[in-house]
Amino acid sequence: AAKETQILEKERKAKLQYEKQLEERQRKLKEMKQKEEQRRAAVEEKRKQKIEEEKERYEAVLHRTLERNQRLETRQKRWSWGGSVTPDSEGKAGKQHPSKRSPSAASLKQAEAAVSKRLSSSAALLNASDRTRRSQLSPLDSSVISRLLAPTQASLARSKSAATLSAD
């Protein structure tokens, strides 16, 4: 009977130890799941924050681009001599019969053609002489000179557009 109680006691102790081990495993698994959930939540939060930052950056770039375009438009309006040409004003001027136009309109057309011819020939002359000079320069000097010449070419284009607008 004493042996039997010892065996029962050992079985009971073994069962208790097995149950403790099971509980410990379950507790560890639960902790691991919680840690994994926290990690996932942190990663998700970081991802959302990154998306939000990218969205803000994109909006800032968009805002700066719109501001820059507005500044360019106002600068172009400031430099434009004839103002903006509306489709209505073009349509009315184009639909007039040639005999109903004022005599100055014909002379303006001729003057515009002469100015246009002079501008294109001087621009071609400038480009030809620039090419020969640039071939003798280093690439860095050449790029600097081409950047310095850009406003001159832009002013030629403005003059040409002003002549076209005044002719219309």
Side-chain angles (χ1 to χ4, degrees), residues 68-79:
R68 195 175 302 131
N69 285 345
Q70 281 182 328
R71 280 192 303 244
L72 285 175
E73 282 178 16
T74 56
R75 195 175 299 149
Q76 285 172 350
K77 285 178 185 174
R78 211 177 332 163
W79 285 102

Side-chain angles (χ1 to χ4, degrees), residues 109-119:
K109 283 281 187 194
Q110 291 170 349
E112 189 266 339
V115 168
S116 173
K117 194 174 193 179
R118 265 188 254 136
L119 284 174

Side-chain angles (χ1 to χ4, degrees), residues 67-133:
E67 283 180 351
R68 195 175 302 131
N69 285 345
Q70 281 182 328
R71 280 192 303 244
L72 285 175
E73 282 178 16
T74 56
R75 195 175 299 149
Q76 285 172 350
K77 285 178 185 174
R78 211 177 332 163
W79 285 102
S80 128
W81 294 1
S84 64
V85 179
T86 60
D88 293 341
S89 65
E90 281 181 20
K92 290 175 184 173
K95 291 180 184 176
Q96 261 185 345
H97 194 270
S99 63
K100 290 184 180 179
R101 287 187 182 154
S102 64
S104 62
S107 64
L108 275 176
K109 283 281 187 194
Q110 291 170 349
E112 189 266 339
V115 168
S116 173
K117 194 174 193 179
R118 265 188 254 136
L119 284 174
S120 63
S121 66
S122 65
L125 208 87
L126 277 173
N127 286 338
S129 64
D130 284 346
R131 273 189 235 114
T132 57
R133 271 190 240 128

